Amino acid sequence: MYDNYIFDLYGTLVDIRTNENKSSLWKYMASYMTLQGAPYSAAELRKRYRGLISDLSRKQYEKYRSSIPELTQDQIEVDLVQVFFRLHQEKGLAMTSQMLTDCALMFRAVSLNYFRLYEGAKQLLIELRRQRKGVYLLSNAQCLFTEPELRALGIYDLFHDVMISSDIGFKKPSPLFYSALLEKHGLDPKASVMIGNDWLADAWGAHNSGLACMYIHTAQSPELAGSLPSGCRQLKAISDVLQQN
């Protein structure tokens, strides 16, 4: 048993399918933004959206790399609020925070095929809280999307804290993301465990940050391209977290 249980979200607690490559997404969003006053064609919007993510990621990496030499560019997380802001700004449209939120949520809703909790996920969180364990979320995600989805699934208030990479600027497996949570709450790494479905971001990210880890392979897991850390426990289902080895 551990004092603190740190969870990944998508592919671990939540089964989700999104598709940002479907042409209907970009057609719909181009029409929506044009009506807002930021005229785009579908092809232009798609190209500029991806270009801005690349540009902002590179600039953020350049900002930090001299002071954090171990940081790699693929560990940078861009906040999509900045992307949607720039997309509208470049068309001469000033956006309110509510307009930005609405646009981002529309983007998510159209790209989303479905999302649902894995069986036993909510019950596990409830049981951990009953046992007075620390329950935390550490997710490579966008706060604009993730917080509404957590609330819709009825699990937002089951975490003592929800930490999203878009808010921090770094994502797993970066130790900077792990340390942000550990230092904020004064958590002892030796008394904490990370549970996730990504062998590199979750298992090795946790291991390299001094935490124990549990790994669960789901349909959304990246291909296991290497070994898991020594001592990493493999789960068959998320409900197995509290079962003895």
Side-chain angles (χ1 to χ4, degrees):
M1 299 293 289
Y2 298 91
D3 293 336
N4 308 297
Y5 290 77
I6 305 168
F7 290 90
D8 172 58
L9 182 62
Y10 300 116
T12 300
L13 296 172
V14 174
D15 183 12
I16 188 169
R17 293 293 186 278
T18 61
N19 184 358
E20 293 185 4
N21 292 316
K22 56 186 178 183
S23 59
S24 58
L25 166 65
W26 300 103
K27 290 178 181 178
Y28 188 94
M29 288 305 302
S31 297
Y32 178 81
M33 292 173 66
T34 296
L35 291 174
Q36 282 187 312
Y40 278 97
S41 68
E44 179 190 13
L45 177 60
R46 184 174 185 168
K47 181 178 180 179
R48 192 65 190 124
Y49 172 85
R50 293 178 173 174
L52 281 170
I53 291 176
S54 178
D55 291 346
L56 290 169
S57 176
R58 177 179 49 79
K59 289 177 181 178
Q60 198 162 311
Y61 174 63
E62 293 294 332
K63 176 182 176 181
Y64 288 110
R65 70 172 185 170
S66 60
S67 58
I68 313 173
E70 68 274 19
L71 184 68
T72 59
Q73 189 167 344
D74 61 359
Q75 294 175 355
I76 293 290
E77 184 73 272
V78 171
D79 189 346
L80 288 185
V81 170
Q82 301 176 55
V83 175
F84 284 106
F85 177 81
R86 290 277 296 275
L87 285 170
H88 290 82
Q89 183 186 53
E90 290 178 1
K91 295 294 184 177
L93 181 63
M95 297 287 285
T96 66
S97 59
Q98 187 59 56
M99 291 171 68
L100 282 169
T101 298
D102 291 345
C103 187
L105 286 178
M106 184 66 70
F107 181 91
R108 182 64 160 187
V110 179
S111 65
L112 187 64
N113 293 332
Y114 69 83
F115 70 107
R116 60 196 177 203
L117 286 168
Y118 281 111
E119 184 177 354
K122 186 172 184 178
Q123 293 80 358
L124 170 63
L125 299 177
I126 292 171
E127 177 60 20
L128 288 169
R129 291 296 299 259
R130 188 191 70 80
Q131 294 186 19
R132 300 182 182 276
K133 302 297 183 181
V135 182
Y136 301 92
L137 186 72
L138 193 71
S139 179
N140 288 353
Q142 292 291 322
C143 189
L144 272 175
F145 305 154
T146 300
E147 183 172 335
E149 288 167 359
L150 288 171
R151 293 190 185 280
L153 292 167
I155 61 173
Y156 184 86
D157 293 327
L158 295 178
F159 297 100
H160 289 100
D161 194 12
V162 170
M163 192 165 283
I164 307 298
S165 58
S166 66
D167 290 337
I168 305 302
F170 309 109
K171 58 186 175 182
K172 299 175 289 184
S174 173
L176 295 168
F177 193 23
Y178 283 92
S179 63
L181 177 67
L182 297 174
E183 292 173 8
K184 179 180 179 180
H185 296 283
L187 304 183
D188 179 1
K190 294 181 180 179
S192 306
V193 62
M194 176 74 201
I195 303 103
N197 76 310
D198 188 312
W199 71 279
L200 181 59
D202 298 319
W204 278 106
H207 178 79
N208 291 335
S209 298
L211 288 81
C213 57
M214 297 183 191
Y215 170 80
I216 179 170
H217 190 85
T218 66
Q220 297 173 59
S221 295
E223 181 182 353
L224 195 61
S227 60
L228 292 169
S230 176
C232 181
R233 180 181 166 199
Q234 295 192 55
L235 307 173
K236 292 182 179 179
I238 193 64
S239 55
D240 292 341
V241 166
L242 291 178
Q243 292 185 7
Q244 296 297 319
N245 285 313

